[in-house]
Structures are given as structure tokens and as C-alpha cells.
Coordinates of all heavy atoms in Angstrom, one line a residue:
M1 N 33.0 98.6 188.3 CA 33.1 98.0 189.6 C 34.5 97.2 189.7 O 34.9 96.6 188.7 CB 32.0 97.0 189.8 CG 30.6 97.6 189.8 SD 29.3 96.4 190.0 CE 28.7 97.1 191.5
P2 N 35.1 97.2 190.8 CA 36.4 96.6 190.9 C 36.4 95.1 190.5 O 35.5 94.4 191.0 CB 36.8 96.8 192.4 CG 36.0 97.9 192.8 CD 34.7 97.9 192.0
G3 N 37.3 94.7 189.7 CA 37.4 93.3 189.3 C 36.4 92.9 188.2 O 36.4 91.7 187.8
Q4 N 35.6 93.8 187.8 CA 34.6 93.5 186.8 C 35.1 93.6 185.4 O 35.8 94.6 185.1 CB 33.3 94.4 187.0 CG 32.2 94.1 186.0 CD 31.1 95.1 186.3 OE1 31.3 96.3 186.2 NE2 29.9 94.6 186.5
T5 N 34.8 92.7 184.5 CA 35.1 92.8 183.1 C 33.8 92.7 182.4 O 33.0 91.8 182.7 CB 36.1 91.7 182.7 OG1 37.3 91.8 183.4 CG2 36.4 91.8 181.2
L6 N 33.6 93.6 181.4 CA 32.4 93.5 180.6 C 32.7 93.2 179.2 O 33.5 93.9 178.6 CB 31.6 94.8 180.7 CG 31.2 95.3 182.1 CD1 30.6 96.7 182.0 CD2 30.2 94.3 182.7
A7 N 32.2 92.1 178.7 CA 32.5 91.8 177.3 C 31.2 92.1 176.5 O 30.1 91.8 176.9 CB 32.8 90.3 177.2
C8 N 31.4 92.8 175.4 CA 30.2 93.3 174.7 C 30.2 92.9 173.2 O 31.3 92.9 172.5 CB 30.2 94.9 174.7 SG 28.8 95.7 173.9
R9 N 29.1 92.6 172.7 CA 28.9 92.3 171.3 C 27.7 93.2 170.8 O 26.6 93.2 171.4 CB 28.5 90.8 171.1 CG 28.0 90.4 169.8 CD 29.2 90.4 168.8 NE 28.6 90.1 167.5 CZ 29.2 89.6 166.5 NH1 30.5 89.4 166.6 NH2 28.6 89.4 165.3
E10 N 28.0 94.0 169.8 CA 27.0 95.0 169.3 C 26.5 94.7 168.0 O 27.1 94.1 167.1 CB 27.7 96.4 169.2 CG 28.2 97.0 170.5 CD 28.8 98.3 170.3 OE1 28.2 99.2 169.8 OE2 30.0 98.5 170.7
W11 N 25.2 95.0 167.8 CA 24.5 94.9 166.5 C 23.9 96.3 166.2 O 24.0 97.2 167.0 CB 23.4 93.9 166.6 CG 23.9 92.5 166.7 CD1 24.1 91.7 165.6 CD2 24.2 91.7 167.8 NE1 24.6 90.4 166.0 CE2 24.6 90.5 167.4 CE3 24.2 92.0 169.2 CZ2 25.0 89.5 168.3 CZ3 24.5 91.0 170.1 CH2 25.0 89.7 169.6
E12 N 23.2 96.4 165.1 CA 22.6 97.7 164.7 C 21.6 98.2 165.7 O 21.4 99.4 165.8 CB 22.0 97.6 163.3 CG 23.0 97.5 162.2 CD 22.4 97.5 160.8 OE1 21.2 98.0 160.7 OE2 23.0 96.9 159.9
D13 N 20.9 97.3 166.3 CA 19.8 97.7 167.2 C 20.0 97.4 168.7 O 19.0 97.4 169.5 CB 18.5 97.0 166.7 CG 18.5 95.5 166.8 OD1 19.7 95.0 166.9 OD2 17.5 94.9 166.6
G14 N 21.2 97.3 169.1 CA 21.5 97.1 170.5 C 22.8 96.2 170.7 O 23.6 96.1 169.8
A15 N 22.9 95.7 171.9 CA 24.1 94.9 172.3 C 23.7 93.9 173.3 O 22.7 93.9 174.0 CB 25.1 95.9 172.8
V16 N 24.7 92.9 173.4 CA 24.6 91.9 174.5 C 25.9 92.1 175.3 O 27.0 92.3 174.7 CB 24.5 90.5 173.9 CG1 24.7 89.5 175.1 CG2 23.3 90.3 173.2
L17 N 25.8 92.1 176.6 CA 26.9 92.4 177.5 C 27.0 91.3 178.5 O 26.0 90.9 179.1 CB 26.6 93.7 178.2 CG 27.8 94.3 179.0 CD1 28.8 95.0 178.1 CD2 27.2 95.4 180.0
F18 N 28.2 90.8 178.7 CA 28.5 89.7 179.7 C 29.2 90.3 180.8 O 30.3 91.0 180.6 CB 29.3 88.6 179.1 CG 29.7 87.5 180.1 CD1 28.8 86.6 180.6 CD2 31.0 87.5 180.5 CE1 29.2 85.7 181.5 CE2 31.5 86.6 181.5 CZ 30.5 85.7 182.0
N19 N 28.8 90.1 182.0 CA 29.4 90.6 183.3 C 30.2 89.5 183.9 O 29.6 88.5 184.4 CB 28.3 91.1 184.2 CG 28.8 91.7 185.5 OD1 29.9 91.4 185.9 ND2 28.0 92.5 186.1
S20 N 31.5 89.6 184.0 CA 32.3 88.6 184.5 C 32.1 88.3 186.0 O 32.3 87.2 186.5 CB 33.8 88.9 184.2 OG 34.2 90.0 185.0
L21 N 31.7 89.3 186.8 CA 31.5 89.2 188.2 C 30.3 88.3 188.5 O 30.3 87.5 189.4 CB 31.5 90.5 188.9 CG 32.8 91.3 189.1 CD1 32.5 92.6 189.9 CD2 33.8 90.4 189.9
S22 N 29.2 88.6 187.8 CA 27.9 88.0 188.1 C 27.7 86.7 187.2 O 26.9 85.9 187.6 CB 26.8 88.9 187.9 OG 26.6 89.3 186.6
G23 N 28.4 86.7 186.1 CA 28.2 85.6 185.2 C 26.9 85.8 184.3 O 26.5 85.0 183.6
A24 N 26.3 87.0 184.5 CA 25.1 87.3 183.8 C 25.3 87.9 182.4 O 26.3 88.6 182.2 CB 24.2 88.2 184.6
T25 N 24.4 87.6 181.5 CA 24.5 88.3 180.2 C 23.2 89.1 180.0 O 22.1 88.7 180.4 CB 24.5 87.2 179.1 OG1 25.6 86.4 179.2 CG2 24.5 87.8 177.7
H26 N 23.3 90.4 179.6 CA 22.3 91.3 179.5 C 22.1 91.8 178.0 O 23.1 92.1 177.4 CB 22.5 92.5 180.4 CG 22.8 92.1 181.8 ND1 21.9 91.7 182.7 CD2 24.0 92.1 182.4 CE1 22.5 91.4 183.8 NE2 23.8 91.7 183.7
Q27 N 20.9 91.9 177.6 CA 20.6 92.6 176.3 C 20.4 94.1 176.6 O 19.6 94.4 177.5 CB 19.3 92.0 175.7 CG 19.1 92.6 174.3 CD 17.9 91.9 173.6 OE1 17.3 91.0 174.2 NE2 17.7 92.3 172.4
L28 N 21.1 94.9 175.9 CA 21.1 96.4 176.2 C 20.6 97.1 174.9 O 21.0 96.8 173.8 CB 22.4 96.9 176.6 CG 23.0 96.3 177.9 CD1 24.4 96.9 178.1 CD2 22.1 96.5 179.1
S29 N 19.9 98.2 175.2 CA 19.6 99.1 174.1 C 20.8 100.0 173.7 O 21.8 100.0 174.5 CB 18.4 100.0 174.5 OG 18.9 100.9 175.6
D30 N 20.7 100.6 172.6 CA 21.8 101.6 172.2 C 22.0 102.6 173.3 O 23.1 103.0 173.6 CB 21.5 102.2 170.9 CG 21.6 101.3 169.7 OD1 22.3 100.3 169.8 OD2 21.0 101.5 168.7
A31 N 20.9 103.1 173.9 CA 20.9 104.2 174.9 C 21.7 103.6 176.2 O 22.5 104.4 176.7 CB 19.5 104.6 175.3
A32 N 21.4 102.4 176.6 CA 22.0 101.9 177.7 C 23.5 101.7 177.5 O 24.4 102.0 178.3 CB 21.4 100.5 178.1
L33 N 23.9 101.2 176.3 CA 25.3 101.0 176.0 C 26.0 102.4 175.9 O 27.1 102.5 176.4 CB 25.4 100.3 174.6 CG 26.8 99.8 174.2 CD1 27.4 98.9 175.3 CD2 26.8 99.2 172.9
W34 N 25.3 103.4 175.3 CA 25.9 104.7 175.3 C 26.2 105.2 176.7 O 27.2 105.8 177.1 CB 25.0 105.7 174.6 CG 25.6 107.1 174.6 CD1 26.5 107.7 173.8 CD2 25.3 108.1 175.6 NE1 26.7 109.0 174.2 CE2 26.0 109.2 175.3 CE3 24.4 108.1 176.7 CZ2 26.0 110.4 176.1 CZ3 24.4 109.3 177.5 CH2 25.1 110.4 177.2
M35 N 25.2 105.0 177.6 CA 25.3 105.4 179.0 C 26.5 104.8 179.7 O 27.3 105.4 180.4 CB 24.0 105.2 179.8 CG 24.1 105.7 181.2 SD 22.6 105.5 182.2 CE 21.6 106.9 181.5
L36 N 26.7 103.5 179.5 CA 27.8 102.8 180.1 C 29.1 103.3 179.6 O 30.0 103.5 180.4 CB 27.7 101.3 179.8 CG 26.7 100.4 180.6 CD1 26.7 99.0 180.1 CD2 27.0 100.5 182.1
D37 N 29.2 103.6 178.3 CA 30.4 104.2 177.8 C 30.7 105.6 178.4 O 31.8 105.9 178.7 CB 30.3 104.3 176.2 CG 30.5 102.9 175.6 OD1 31.0 102.0 176.2 OD2 30.0 102.8 174.4
A38 N 29.6 106.4 178.5 CA 29.8 107.7 179.0 C 30.2 107.7 180.5 O 31.0 108.5 180.9 CB 28.5 108.5 178.9
L39 N 29.6 106.8 181.2 CA 30.0 106.7 182.7 C 31.4 106.1 182.9 O 32.0 106.3 183.9 CB 28.9 105.8 183.4 CG 27.6 106.5 183.5 CD1 26.5 105.5 184.0 CD2 27.6 107.8 184.3
A40 N 31.8 105.3 181.9 CA 33.2 104.7 182.0 C 34.2 105.9 181.9 O 35.3 105.8 182.5 CB 33.4 103.7 180.9
E41 N 33.9 106.9 181.2 CA 34.8 108.1 181.1 C 34.8 108.9 182.3 O 35.9 109.3 182.8 CB 34.3 109.0 179.9 CG 34.4 108.4 178.5 CD 33.8 109.3 177.5 OE1 33.5 110.5 177.8 OE2 33.6 108.8 176.4
A42 N 33.7 109.1 183.0 CA 33.6 109.9 184.2 C 32.2 109.8 184.8 O 31.3 109.6 184.1 CB 33.9 111.4 183.9
P43 N 32.1 109.8 186.1 CA 30.8 109.8 186.8 C 30.0 111.0 186.3 O 30.5 112.1 186.2 CB 31.1 109.9 188.3 CG 32.5 109.5 188.4 CD 33.2 109.9 187.1
R44 N 28.7 110.8 186.1 CA 27.8 111.9 185.6 C 26.5 111.7 186.1 O 26.0 110.6 186.3 CB 27.8 111.9 184.0 CG 29.1 112.1 183.4 CD 28.9 112.0 181.9 NE 30.2 111.8 181.2 CZ 30.4 112.2 180.0 NH1 29.4 112.7 179.2 NH2 31.6 112.0 179.4
S45 N 25.8 112.8 186.4 CA 24.4 112.8 186.8 C 23.5 112.7 185.6 O 24.0 112.9 184.4 CB 24.1 114.2 187.5 OG 24.1 115.2 186.5
P46 N 22.2 112.3 185.8 CA 21.3 112.2 184.6 C 21.3 113.6 183.8 O 21.2 113.5 182.6 CB 20.0 111.9 185.3 CG 20.3 111.1 186.5 CD 21.6 111.8 187.0
A47 N 21.3 114.7 184.5 CA 21.3 116.0 183.8 C 22.6 116.2 183.0 O 22.5 116.6 181.9 CB 21.2 117.1 184.8
A48 N 23.7 115.7 183.5 CA 25.0 115.8 182.7 C 25.0 114.9 181.6 O 25.5 115.2 180.5 CB 26.1 115.5 183.6
L49 N 24.3 113.7 181.7 CA 24.2 112.8 180.6 C 23.3 113.4 179.5 O 23.6 113.2 178.3 CB 23.7 111.4 181.1 CG 24.6 110.6 182.0 CD1 23.8 109.5 182.7 CD2 25.7 110.0 181.1
A50 N 22.2 114.0 179.9 CA 21.3 114.6 179.0 C 22.0 115.7 178.2 O 21.9 115.9 177.0 CB 20.1 115.2 179.7
A51 N 22.9 116.5 178.9 CA 23.7 117.6 178.2 C 24.6 117.0 177.2 O 24.8 117.5 176.2 CB 24.4 118.4 179.3
A52 N 25.3 115.9 177.6 CA 26.2 115.2 176.7 C 25.5 114.7 175.5 O 26.0 114.8 174.3 CB 26.9 114.1 177.4
L53 N 24.3 114.2 175.6 CA 23.5 113.8 174.5 C 23.2 114.9 173.5 O 23.3 114.8 172.3 CB 22.2 113.1 174.9 CG 22.3 111.6 175.2 CD1 21.0 111.1 175.8 CD2 22.7 110.8 174.0
R54 N 22.8 116.1 174.1 CA 22.5 117.3 173.3 C 23.7 117.7 172.6 O 23.5 118.1 171.4 CB 22.0 118.4 174.2 CG 20.5 118.2 174.6 CD 19.9 119.5 175.3 NE 20.6 119.9 176.5 CZ 20.4 119.4 177.7 NH1 19.5 118.5 177.9 NH2 21.1 119.8 178.7
E55 N 24.9 117.6 173.1 CA 26.1 118.0 172.4 C 26.3 117.1 171.2 O 26.9 117.5 170.2 CB 27.3 117.9 173.3 CG 27.4 118.9 174.4 CD 28.5 118.7 175.4 OE1 29.4 117.8 175.1 OE2 28.6 119.4 176.4
Q56 N 25.8 115.9 171.2 CA 25.9 115.0 170.1 C 24.8 115.1 169.1 O 24.7 114.3 168.2 CB 26.1 113.5 170.6 CG 27.3 113.3 171.4 CD 27.4 111.9 171.9 OE1 26.6 111.0 171.6 NE2 28.4 111.6 172.7
G57 N 23.8 116.0 169.4 CA 22.7 116.2 168.5 C 21.5 115.3 168.8 O 20.6 115.2 168.0
A58 N 21.5 114.6 169.9 CA 20.4 113.7 170.4 C 19.8 114.3 171.6 O 20.3 115.2 172.2 CB 20.9 112.3 170.6
Q59 N 18.6 113.8 171.9 CA 17.9 114.3 173.1 C 17.4 113.2 174.0 O 17.0 112.2 173.4 CB 16.8 115.2 172.7 CG 17.2 116.6 172.2 CD 16.1 117.6 172.1 OE1 15.2 117.5 172.9 NE2 16.2 118.5 171.2
A60 N 17.3 113.4 175.2 CA 16.7 112.5 176.2 C 16.4 113.3 177.4 O 17.1 114.2 177.8 CB 17.6 111.3 176.5
E61 N 15.2 113.0 178.0 CA 14.9 113.7 179.3 C 15.7 113.1 180.4 O 15.9 111.9 180.5 CB 13.4 113.5 179.6 CG 12.5 114.1 178.5 CD 12.6 115.6 178.5 OE1 12.7 116.2 179.5 OE2 12.6 116.1 177.3
P62 N 16.2 114.0 181.3 CA 16.9 113.6 182.5 C 16.1 112.5 183.3 O 16.8 111.5 183.8 CB 17.1 114.8 183.3 CG 17.1 115.9 182.3 CD 16.1 115.5 181.3
E63 N 14.8 112.6 183.3 CA 14.0 111.6 184.1 C 14.2 110.2 183.4 O 14.3 109.2 184.1 CB 12.5 112.0 184.1 CG 12.3 113.2 184.9 CD 12.5 114.5 184.1 OE1 12.6 114.5 182.9 OE2 12.7 115.6 184.7
H64 N 14.2 110.1 182.1 CA 14.4 108.9 181.4 C 15.7 108.3 181.7 O 15.9 107.1 181.9 CB 14.1 109.1 179.9 CG 14.5 107.8 179.1 ND1 13.7 106.7 179.0 CD2 15.6 107.6 178.3 CE1 14.3 105.8 178.3 NE2 15.5 106.3 177.8
L65 N 16.7 109.2 181.6 CA 18.1 108.8 181.9 C 18.3 108.3 183.3 O 19.0 107.4 183.6 CB 19.1 109.9 181.5 CG 19.1 110.2 180.0 CD1 20.0 111.4 179.8 CD2 19.6 109.1 179.2
A66 N 17.6 108.9 184.3 CA 17.6 108.5 185.7 C 17.1 107.1 185.8 O 17.6 106.3 186.6 CB 16.9 109.5 186.5
R67 N 15.9 106.8 185.1 CA 15.4 105.5 185.2 C 16.3 104.4 184.6 O 16.5 103.4 185.2 CB 14.0 105.4 184.4 CG 12.9 106.0 185.2 CD 11.5 105.7 184.6 NE 11.4 106.2 183.1 CZ 11.1 107.4 182.8 NH1 10.8 108.3 183.7 NH2 11.0 107.7 181.5
L68 N 16.9 104.8 183.4 CA 17.9 103.9 182.8 C 19.1 103.6 183.7 O 19.5 102.5 183.9 CB 18.3 104.4 181.5 CG 19.3 103.6 180.6 CD1 18.8 102.2 180.4 CD2 19.6 104.3 179.3
L69 N 19.6 104.7 184.4 CA 20.7 104.6 185.3 C 20.3 103.7 186.5 O 21.1 102.8 186.9 CB 21.1 106.0 185.8 CG 22.3 106.0 186.7 CD1 23.5 105.5 186.0 CD2 22.5 107.5 187.1
H70 N 19.1 103.8 187.0 CA 18.6 103.0 188.1 C 18.6 101.5 187.6 O 19.0 100.6 188.4 CB 17.2 103.4 188.5 CG 16.6 102.6 189.6 ND1 17.1 102.7 190.9 CD2 15.7 101.7 189.6 CE1 16.4 101.8 191.7 NE2 15.5 101.2 190.9
E71 N 18.1 101.2 186.4 CA 18.1 99.9 185.8 C 19.5 99.3 185.7 O 19.7 98.1 186.1 CB 17.4 99.8 184.5 CG 15.9 100.1 184.5 CD 15.3 100.2 183.2 OE1 15.9 99.8 182.2 OE2 14.2 100.7 183.1
L72 N 20.5 100.1 185.3 CA 21.9 99.6 185.2 C 22.5 99.3 186.5 O 23.2 98.4 186.7 CB 22.7 100.6 184.4 CG 22.4 100.8 182.9 CD1 23.2 101.9 182.3 CD2 22.5 99.5 182.2
K73 N 22.1 100.1 187.5 CA 22.5 99.9 188.9 C 22.0 98.5 189.4 O 22.6 97.7 190.1 CB 22.1 101.0 189.9 CG 22.9 102.2 189.7 CD 22.4 103.3 190.7 CE 23.0 104.6 190.4 NZ 22.4 105.7 191.3
G74 N 20.7 98.3 189.1 CA 20.0 97.0 189.5 C 20.6 95.8 188.9 O 20.6 94.7 189.4
L75 N 21.3 96.0 187.7 CA 22.0 94.9 187.0 C 23.4 94.8 187.5 O 24.1 93.9 187.0 CB 21.9 95.1 185.5 CG 20.5 95.1 184.9 CD1 20.6 95.4 183.4 CD2 19.9 93.7 185.0
H76 N 23.8 95.6 188.4 CA 25.2 95.7 188.9 C 26.2 96.0 187.8 O 27.3 95.5 187.8 CB 25.6 94.4 189.6 CG 24.6 94.0 190.7 ND1 24.6 94.7 191.9 CD2 23.6 93.1 190.8 CE1 23.6 94.3 192.7 NE2 23.0 93.3 192.0
L77 N 25.8 96.8 186.8 CA 26.7 97.3 185.8 C 27.3 98.6 186.1 O 28.4 98.9 185.5 CB 26.0 97.3 184.4 CG 25.4 96.0 183.9 CD1 24.6 96.2 182.7 CD2 26.6 95.0 183.7
V78 N 26.7 99.4 187.0 CA 27.3 100.6 187.4 C 27.1 100.7 188.9 O 26.2 100.0 189.5 CB 26.7 101.9 186.8 CG1 26.9 101.9 185.3 CG2 25.2 101.9 187.1
E79 N 27.9 101.5 189.6 CA 27.7 101.7 191.1 C 27.7 103.2 191.4 O 28.2 104.0 190.7 CB 28.8 101.0 191.8 CG 30.2 101.5 191.6 CD 31.2 100.7 192.3 OE1 30.9 99.7 192.9 OE2 32.4 101.1 192.2
P80 N 27.0 103.5 192.5 CA 26.9 104.9 192.9 C 28.3 105.4 193.2 O 29.1 104.7 193.7 CB 26.0 105.0 194.1 CG 25.4 103.6 194.1 CD 26.2 102.7 193.3
C81 N 28.6 106.7 192.9 CA 29.9 107.2 193.3 C 29.8 108.1 194.5 O 28.8 108.4 195.0 CB 30.5 108.0 192.1 SG 29.5 109.3 191.5

């Protein structure tokens, strides 16, 4: 999002992310953090995100990724393109 800075601190089982625009801090799963990184590279649909995970040897259902994407939108960490 324009003007947004995200500061991240990672641990083995997840991460904490600070959003400079909202002033909110969020605890994120590894999957959510991976999704934010993947979307920072380029906009992707849940199906494209699932394909990218398969390329890395992991799996996730597009429906699960769609729910996660919806949650990240609700936190104002991603925006529709």
C-alpha cells in the first residue's frame, strides 16, 4: 500500500509484523508471511500462489490461500489489484 512500511521480526514458528500506516502489530503464521513476500514480488491469485508453493515442494489448497488472502486484506496488509 502506498506509504506503508512493514517492519518484521521472525521466529521459527511465525513472525510479528508492524504496520506503519495503522500502527498495528500482527502475529503472522509462516504461511501468511510467505504470502506477503510472494505478493510483494507480483500480484497473484490464490491458484497462482498454490502453484508457487508446489514449485517449492509444499502444498496448500487454493481455498485455504483465498481465506488467508482475505484475512490479510482485512488487516490492511494487502490491497486488491
Side-chain angles (χ1 to χ4, degrees):
M1 299 180 118
Q4 181 181 55
T5 301
L6 301 174
C8 183
R9 169 75 184 198
E10 296 181 55
W11 288 271
E12 288 183 24
D13 59 347
V16 174
L17 191 75
F18 174 74
N19 181 338
S20 66
L21 284 181
S22 68
T25 300
H26 308 284
Q27 184 175 3
L28 300 178
S29 66
D30 289 335
L33 189 59
W34 175 86
M35 182 177 283
L36 283 176
D37 288 340
L39 293 171
E41 294 174 12
R44 300 178 194 204
S45 68
L49 289 164
L53 275 175
R54 282 192 299 277
E55 289 175 9
Q56 296 179 7
Q59 288 194 29
E61 296 296 320
E63 295 82 17
H64 171 75
L65 295 174
R67 283 191 303 274
L68 182 55
L69 184 59
H70 180 74
E71 290 174 18
L72 293 175
K73 285 179 188 174
L75 297 173
H76 305 287
L77 297 175
V78 298
E79 62 183 5
C81 53

